[in-house]
């Protein structure tokens, strides 16, 4: 694998797993009615968090998980449970209710103060594990091992790819007002509910993969990778 192939493959895989476009409706719902400057600052904070967290795992690999004695299957199961809870909140429309105060307290506040308060509420479960899930972390670790063969250049490529994905994430979230205007509150509620159902199914899939990797024969292979034969 050449350096160019490493960069392209890593970017495509990480972009698909973080899925900035698919998460735009959720970000729009979480910041609905907020001032434009505050919304943009929240997106910047999320992008910085995603970049810093993934770069940290890019260099540490599985060392941190090994230090705490946590296996990747256990991490997948824990992430799946958290995502399932988030999915249920979205299906019941509790997600939009949870952030119904997005526009409150903005008057008299600077965009930076508002963004910090909103970001604190979005770290879990939005930034992690929704954006940065077990799949994204394991992908970063895998490509970090691939990049070692290129030395410092390979590590620099990996950091550049992570930074590029974070920039695309921020730019995509900045476009969330367009989504909000097109869908409106009712349309946003419908989209969030549908995405919540999909997220619940994805969370169950995470748990199945985690249980299957941690056991022998308990979960069928076609349940762990149901569409592997069709690719």
């Amino acid at each position: 694998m050449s350096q160019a192939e490493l960069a392209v493959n890593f970017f495509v895989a990480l972009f698909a797993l973080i899925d900035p476009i698919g998460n735009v409706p959720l970000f729009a719902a979480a910041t609905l009615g907020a001032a434009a400057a505050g919304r943009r600052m929240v997106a910047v904070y999320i992008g910085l968090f995603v970049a810093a967290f993934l770069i940290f795992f890019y260099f540490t690999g599985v060392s941190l998980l090994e230090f705490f004695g946590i296996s990747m299957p256990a991490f997948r199961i824990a992430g799946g449970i958290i995502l399932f809870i988030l999915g249920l909140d979205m299906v019941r429309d509790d997600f939009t209710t949870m952030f119904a105060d997005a526009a409150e307290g903005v008057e008299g506040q600077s965009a930076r103060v508002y963004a910090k308060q909103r970001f604190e509420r979005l770290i879990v479960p939005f930034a992690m594990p929704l954006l940065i899930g077990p799949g994204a972390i394991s992908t970063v670790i895998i490509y970090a091992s691939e990049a070692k063969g290129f030395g410092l250049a390979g590590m620099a490529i990996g950091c550049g790819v992570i930074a590029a994905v974070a920039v695309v994430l921020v730019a995509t979230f900045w476009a969330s007002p367009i989504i909000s205007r097109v869908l409106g509150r009712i349309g946003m509620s419908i989209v969030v509910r549908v995405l919540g159902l999909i997220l619940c199914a994805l969370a169950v899939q995470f748990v199945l993969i985690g249980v299957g990797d941690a056991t022998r024969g308990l979960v069928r292979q076609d349940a762990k990778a149901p569409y592997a034969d069709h690719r």
Side-chain angles (χ1 to χ4, degrees):
M1 180 185 294
S2 65
Q3 293 183 11
E5 290 175 337
L6 172 67
V8 172
N9 292 345
F10 189 19
F11 180 88
V12 171
L14 195 58
F15 181 86
L17 287 167
I18 294 180
D19 192 14
I21 298 175
N23 285 298
V24 163
L26 302 184
F27 178 80
T31 57
L32 189 64
R39 186 188 299 109
R40 288 195 296 267
M41 190 67 70
V42 173
V44 170
Y45 283 160
I46 291 176
L48 290 175
F49 175 80
V50 168
F53 197 89
L54 291 180
I55 288 175
F56 174 75
F57 266 94
Y58 188 74
F59 284 102
T60 61
V62 295
S63 301
L64 187 64
L65 296 182
E66 290 178 351
F67 177 79
F68 289 105
I70 302 173
S71 66
M72 187 56 70
F75 193 79
R76 285 184 180 275
I77 294 173
I81 293 173
I82 295 175
L83 285 179
F84 188 81
I85 295 173
L86 173 61
L88 283 180
D89 287 340
M90 291 165 61
V91 170
R92 296 194 301 247
D93 206 24
D94 292 340
F95 183 84
T96 52
T97 304
M98 183 191 311
F99 299 109
D101 62 338
E104 295 180 5
V106 176
E107 191 173 337
Q109 272 187 348
S110 66
R112 187 180 297 274
V113 173
Y114 165 79
K116 287 182 178 179
Q117 294 177 351
R118 183 58 44 181
F119 174 66
E120 289 174 1
R121 298 192 61 184
L122 290 177
I123 294 177
V124 177
F126 186 77
M128 181 178 183
L130 185 57
L131 293 176
I132 310 174
I137 293 175
S138 59
T139 297
V140 166
I141 294 173
I142 291 171
Y143 277 96
S145 63
E146 293 281 344
K148 285 183 179 179
F150 298 107
L152 291 176
M155 304 307 288
I157 289 173
C159 291
V161 168
I162 293 173
V165 172
V167 169
V168 173
L169 176 69
V170 172
T172 305
F173 284 172
W174 278 8
S176 63
I178 300 175
I179 304 294
S180 301
R181 286 196 296 268
V182 171
L183 295 179
R185 288 184 177 272
I186 296 178
M188 191 71 67
S189 177
I190 294 173
V191 170
V192 169
R193 286 172 185 265
V194 173
L195 289 176
L197 179 59
I198 295 174
L199 193 60
C200 284
L202 181 62
V204 173
Q205 192 65 42
F206 275 176
V207 173
L208 286 175
I209 295 174
V211 173
D213 291 342
T215 58
R216 180 177 298 178
L218 186 60
V219 178
R220 298 199 317 266
Q221 185 61 34
D222 60 343
K224 289 174 55 180
Y227 304 109
D229 295 337
H230 300 288
R231 295 175 182 174

